[in-house]
Amino acid sequence: MNARTDPLARLTRQLRRLRGTVLVVLAMPLAPALLFNLLGGDERRLVGTLLGLGLAGLALRDLRRGRIRRAAVLTGLATGLAAHLAALVPGLGAVVLGLMAGFGAQLLYADAPPPEPVLPPAPPAPDPLAVPRARLTGLQASDPRLRPATLALGGLLAELDRRPGALPEARRFLNLQLDGLERIATRLRAGATPPESLPALIDEMARGSGAMREKLVHAENEALEIQVKVLAERLREEGYA
């Protein structure tokens, strides 16, 4: 029997939802009292009402978090202060009412079900393109003569990011271009004089990245056309079209 069908588990979840309902009901008369005190201008009763509502709210928050003893203490304080300041109960009587309220809250919620456990947030999914993304970022900040190829690779990387199941050929192409550009950038940083054929090679690499992007889009379009065709045939076979 799992947790969804276990009657005890269902009852426990319902009790968690009802946790603090009694405190809310007991504090409800303070709401209209606050309005009357605002209109009447009685500062002492107004302060007492505000303290009662505020402490009751804090008690409810602690109760929902499973802090029973602290919630009981706050309930007693809310009752005592509201009775003394708002209801003009003498000091000793207000203390007695506060003790009774705190003790009653402790008894009422001592065996209450624990609060819902706070699950840690799920770890983010690993980025399969984190390594080539970092490599490309380093290349884009290197020699500006490589910029046409790195910009085109950035577009290809964005396309791969949108299509997790992209062609393996595209990933191999991406790694090949990154390897070659990193070697060129290393030589240029070492002071090597670029050959006359370098600009033509960079332009050719940029065109290759663009062609690979078009190939990915074309493959995606073909896959969609096949899915539409298969679905249409299936609907006709089933008599729905």
Side-chain angles (χ1 to χ4, degrees):
M1 184 177 294
N2 56 35
R4 292 186 178 180
T5 59
D6 187 0
L8 181 59
R10 289 202 302 270
L11 178 60
T12 300
R13 288 197 297 271
Q14 292 173 0
L15 290 175
R16 285 195 183 105
R17 297 190 189 102
L18 294 174
R19 179 190 291 270
T21 304
V22 175
L23 291 182
V24 175
V25 173
L26 292 177
M28 284 178 63
L30 293 176
L34 177 63
L35 178 60
F36 293 146
N37 293 327
L38 280 172
L39 296 176
D42 192 328
E43 295 183 359
R44 175 177 175 177
R45 292 188 175 185
L46 179 60
V47 171
T49 305
L50 288 173
L51 287 174
L53 285 172
L55 292 173
L58 293 176
L60 180 61
R61 183 198 63 181
D62 287 336
L63 189 61
R64 293 286 175 85
R65 296 179 179 179
R67 303 169 183 170
I68 306 300
R69 181 171 298 178
R70 181 172 173 178
V73 172
L74 290 173
T75 302
L77 288 174
T79 304
L81 290 173
H84 181 59
L85 297 176
L88 303 181
V89 175
L92 181 59
V95 171
V96 172
L97 288 175
L99 291 175
M100 291 174 61
F103 184 66
Q106 179 71 32
L107 290 179
L108 182 61
Y109 294 106
D111 296 327
E116 290 282 359
V118 179
L119 300 178
D127 182 7
L129 298 174
V131 174
R133 200 188 312 278
R135 294 172 65 187
L136 181 59
T137 300
L139 284 169
Q140 289 173 340
S142 62
D143 198 292
R145 286 168 288 191
L146 308 180
R147 186 166 299 165
T150 57
L151 288 176
L153 274 183
L156 176 59
L157 189 61
E159 197 69 38
L160 289 172
D161 209 8
R162 287 193 294 267
R163 311 176 193 278
L167 297 174
E169 178 187 357
R171 294 179 180 272
R172 291 195 297 271
F173 175 85
L174 177 65
N175 290 326
L176 178 63
Q177 290 246 19
L178 288 173
D179 289 341
L181 289 173
E182 285 175 343
R183 292 192 183 97
I184 294 173
T186 300
R187 296 301 180 188
L188 291 176
R189 282 196 302 270
T193 300
E196 296 180 358
S197 58
L198 180 61
L201 174 63
I202 297 301
D203 291 339
E204 183 180 352
M205 295 176 74
R207 288 193 298 270
S209 297
M212 183 58 67
R213 285 187 63 189
E214 293 178 0
K215 187 174 183 179
L216 289 175
V217 174
H218 180 69
E220 198 70 25
N221 292 337
E222 283 188 342
L224 179 59
E225 291 177 2
I226 293 173
Q227 289 178 354
V228 170
K229 182 178 179 181
V230 170
L231 179 58
E233 292 178 354
R234 180 68 183 275
L235 291 174
R236 284 194 293 269
E237 291 174 358
E238 298 292 337
Y240 296 119

